[in-house]
Amino acid sequence: LAAYAKAYPDHAAELRYFEIAPGGYSTLERHQHTHAVLILRGRGTVRIGGQLHAIDERDLVTIDPLTWH
């Protein structure tokens, strides 16, 4: 994250960690910034806008600003 901040000083970024139990889910939300989610373990489904996408370990999901996910 520090290298990213040096390379792109005008971009705001933050790093967060989540664990979601089997059968669980996160809240539906949207942000002013580009959003990225790296799947470390497990698999599931992600909603991006009005579409559902299968996700698996080591997938990187990127979401444009103001897109519901």
Side-chain angles (χ1 to χ4, degrees):
L1 193 55
Y4 179 88
K6 286 180 183 178
Y8 302 96
D10 295 336
H11 291 192
E14 68 180 59
L15 178 63
R16 299 185 291 166
Y17 177 82
F18 294 92
E19 285 195 24
I20 299 174
Y25 56 91
S26 64
T27 59
L28 186 61
E29 54 187 17
R30 63 184 180 165
H31 312 281
Q32 294 286 337
H33 56 273
T34 299
H35 196 76
V37 179
L38 177 61
I39 310 306
L40 298 177
R41 291 188 311 234
R43 69 186 103 150
T45 304
V46 62
R47 177 185 305 272
I48 302 174
Q51 297 182 335
L52 296 176
H53 303 272
I55 52 175
D56 207 340
E57 289 184 12
R58 296 187 288 270
D59 282 347
L60 177 64
V61 179
T62 56
I63 303 142
D64 291 332
L66 299 176
T67 301
W68 287 104
H69 61 283

